[in-house]
Amino acid sequence: PQFPIDNTDATISGTWTIHSTKKERLIVNQTVPDNATYERFIFAAKDSSLFLFDLGEGKGFILGIKNPLDHLEMSNIAERYKFLDVWLPDSRGCGRYTISSDGSGTWSHKSQDDSTDDGTITNIAACSYIPNMFYGKISRPSNLGSGNPLDLYFAVTNDVILHILFDPDNSNAPGVTVSYGVGVKLY
C-alpha cells in the first residue's frame, strides 16, 4: 500500500478487548479475511507497550506498538537497536541499527545462512503525516545486487523499533517491500 495508509488498504480487520479477569491478555476477533479468535499476551511498560500475534504458519503476524503522545525528535531516537527481521521471499536474520541525532546511522545484519552485511543510513527525518514514524535511505544490502539505496521507514516508541524496507529499483514492482522487522533499544 501507499502512504499514508487508510482503511481501504486493510487486508485484515477485526476488534479486540482486554480479558475480563486477566488484564495482561488481549482477546482479538479477526473478521477479515476469516473469522478467528486469538488470546495473546501483551507487554506493557510505563513508556512502551506492544503486542504480537502469530497468525500461524504462512499467515504472518500482527504487531501493535503504542504510539507515544509526545512526538519524538531525532535526539530521542539516537540510540543503538538490535532487531530480528524477515527478508522476502523466505530469509530471516538479525542485526543492529545505530542512529545518530544528525540524521545518519549505520546498520549490520546476519542472515540465517550466516552471511553478514553492513552499511549506512542517510537522510533520516520524521514523517510529517504519521507521528513517531521516520524515514531515510539505507545502503543496498549485497543480497539485493547493485542499485539505489532502499527506502527505510521505521516507527519508534521509547524502547521498540519497527522497520520496513522498500526497494525503489524492483523492476517488477517499484517500491515493493523487501524486509520488515522489530527490535529493541540496547542499554
Side-chain angles (χ1 to χ4, degrees):
Q2 299 295 315
F3 284 104
I5 296 172
D6 63 29
N7 287 337
T8 62
D9 294 325
T11 55
I12 298 175
S13 63
T15 60
W16 61 272
T17 58
I18 296 173
H19 194 285
S20 62
T21 59
K22 300 172 184 169
K23 301 298 184 192
E24 76 282 1
R25 295 186 187 189
L26 291 178
I27 308 291
V28 174
N29 296 301
Q30 177 184 309
T31 55
V32 174
D34 53 4
N35 288 318
T37 299
Y38 303 96
E39 183 176 325
R40 299 292 192 259
F41 292 94
I42 60 173
F43 166 77
K46 178 181 176 191
D47 297 325
S48 299
S49 297
L50 66 93
F51 62 84
L52 176 65
F53 296 114
D54 181 351
L55 300 176
E57 187 173 341
K59 295 182 180 181
F61 63 89
I62 297 172
L63 174 71
I65 59 175
K66 180 180 178 181
N67 197 352
L69 294 176
D70 297 329
H71 295 283
L72 300 175
E73 304 292 334
M74 288 301 301
S75 60
N76 301 117
I77 68 164
E79 288 289 344
R80 293 180 310 137
Y81 300 87
K82 192 96 170 184
F83 64 87
L84 300 171
D85 67 343
V86 174
W87 282 86
L88 304 178
D90 60 359
S91 184
R92 297 175 304 278
C94 61
R96 179 180 294 175
Y97 287 125
T98 301
I99 298 173
S100 300
S101 60
D102 67 1
S104 67
T106 60
W107 62 272
S108 61
H109 188 267
K110 183 175 183 177
S111 294
Q112 67 189 40
D113 65 2
D114 286 333
S115 63
T116 59
D117 215 344
D118 57 25
T120 59
I121 308 169
T122 58
N123 304 323
I124 301 172
C127 290
S128 59
Y129 43 83
I130 302 175
N132 304 314
M133 176 72 97
F134 297 83
Y135 63 92
K137 295 288 186 176
I138 188 169
S139 57
R140 183 173 285 272
S142 59
N143 67 332
L144 295 179
S146 62
N148 290 314
L150 301 179
D151 295 324
L152 167 67
Y153 285 84
F154 60 97
V156 181
T157 68
N158 293 321
D159 294 324
V160 178
I161 186 169
L162 166 69
H163 77 258
I164 304 171
L165 297 176
F166 297 98
D167 187 352
D169 292 344
N170 186 295
S171 59
N172 296 324
V176 69
T177 302
V178 295
S179 174
Y180 55 90
V182 65
V184 295
K185 185 185 299 185
L186 296 176
Y187 288 97

